[in-house]
Each structure stands twice: as C-alpha cells, then as structure tokens.
Amino acid sequence: SLCFYISCALILVWYLGTQVSALAGWWGGTFFLSLIPPLFWSIHLYTDLPLAFFVTTSTLVLLVALRSEDKGLLLVSGLMAGLAAWTKNEGLQFLVVTGLLLGSLKILTSRKMSTAAPIPLSPFVRGSFLLFLTVLVFKIILGRNGEYLSSERSIVASLATIFSERSGAALVFRSFASQMMDFAAWKGLW
C-alpha cells in the first residue's frame, strides 16, 4: 500500500513535470504527500489507494496520449484502467465510463474535423480488454452470489434499485460535501 501511495505522488510529479514544469511537478508531488487521507488509506491498507493510483495513472496517461497522439500511451492507459477494474467495482465503472467518453470524443472529433486524424481507440481497448473480460467472468459468470445480479434479481431490477434509492445518493453527496469542507484533511485542495 505504501508503494501505491508513493507511486501516486510520482505519477503526479511525472504528469505535472512533463506538462507544466519540473518545479510544478515537485510541488504537486510534495503537496500530495502532505495530504492526510491518502496517507491514512496507505497505512490502513485500504484498497482505495491502489484504485486511486490506477485511476489517476490511467487518466493522466490518457491525457498525455491524447495530446501527443501516442498509441503506446493509450495502451498503457487502457492497461491501468483494466487494473482499476480488477481492483474494485468502482474501477469497473471507471473503465466503462472512460470507454464511453473516449468513444464519444472519437465521434465528435471525426464529425468536426474531417482532416484531423481520428482518435485511435484500439490501443486503449487492447490494453484493458483482457482484464475487463477477466473481471466480467469472475464477477458475473463465476460469482456465486451474482454480485451484479444481487439475490438473483434481473439486471433491470438491480439498476432500478440502485437509481431509485435517493437516500443513499443523498448520504454520498452529504459526505462528499463534508469532506470538501474539511480544510485540515485536504489542505484546501478542493
């Protein structure tokens, strides 16, 4: 867990150092290391920190890949998104949403600029495909309790339950707002 914590700081140093300046990279990494919640999660071995590392790495590498049109970085971004999906259910949601956003971006750029090179999605898909397929097999096909088909309900019934429970969503939003206002923990990051 400590390795993921340090790696999160280093990926921030890399991104800010290559996209802004070396000084911004080192300041960003130092600032991240001074935040209490990631340190707490790393000490207590929560799986949130590996998930945060994979999501952060996938996102930052994806941004650099789109700016530089580097297919190798798209592959790495897909691999990191696949590892996020392997780590937690939220990672699976991240992979699906990122794939949908990339697909939408590809459609928008192909319509607006017919002369510009379209965004290649195949490296991202290749990078994440095997891990995504493995997660689906383990969670849906081999899972005893049918994690996404809770208590043998249909997918439609499960989705209706998730999206119709407003009190759960309200609790999440209240907790998020509370954390955003906690200056001591986040040092004004928000």
Side-chain angles (χ1 to χ4, degrees):
S1 194
L2 184 61
C3 291
F4 283 109
Y5 175 65
I6 293 169
S7 296
C8 270
L10 292 176
I11 197 70
L12 288 170
V13 169
W14 168 79
Y15 177 77
L16 292 171
T18 59
Q19 301 301 304
V20 181
S21 71
L23 183 62
W26 289 110
W27 276 110
T30 303
F31 181 78
F32 176 79
L33 291 173
S34 73
L35 297 175
I36 304 301
L39 178 61
F40 172 83
W41 295 329
S42 72
I43 292 170
H44 291 87
L45 302 174
Y46 279 72
T47 56
D48 293 336
L49 201 59
L51 175 69
F53 169 74
F54 292 131
V55 167
T56 302
T57 302
S58 178
T59 302
L60 296 180
V61 170
L62 180 62
L63 290 173
V64 173
L66 291 175
R67 288 179 185 149
S68 65
E69 298 177 4
D70 187 339
K71 293 179 183 177
L73 288 178
L74 278 172
L75 183 75
V76 171
S77 177
L79 178 65
M80 291 295 126
L83 288 169
W86 176 262
T87 305
K88 285 186 83 174
N89 292 343
E90 291 86 347
L92 185 59
Q93 294 165 349
F94 169 77
L95 176 61
V96 170
V97 168
T98 302
L100 291 173
L101 288 173
L102 276 174
S104 300
L105 186 61
K106 181 178 176 86
I107 291 168
L108 288 174
T109 56
S110 66
R111 286 185 182 176
K112 291 212 177 226
M113 299 180 236
S114 58
T115 58
I119 297 169
L121 290 181
S122 61
F124 184 86
V125 172
R126 278 196 322 266
S128 63
F129 180 74
L130 186 59
L131 288 160
F132 180 70
L133 184 64
T134 304
V135 169
L136 290 181
V137 167
F138 277 109
K139 293 213 180 239
I140 294 176
I141 297 172
L142 297 177
R144 289 184 183 169
N145 297 334
E147 186 166 336
Y148 291 108
L149 303 175
S150 54
S151 303
E152 299 181 13
R153 287 189 284 177
S154 70
I155 292 175
V156 174
S158 296
L159 289 174
T161 302
I162 290 169
F163 290 110
S164 67
E165 289 186 19
R166 305 253 189 260
S167 61
L171 175 64
V172 169
F173 285 119
R174 281 194 310 271
S175 299
F176 183 71
S178 170
Q179 284 295 312
M180 283 179 57
M181 301 304 165
D182 187 3
F183 187 84
W186 291 101
K187 299 185 183 355
L189 179 64
W190 301 113

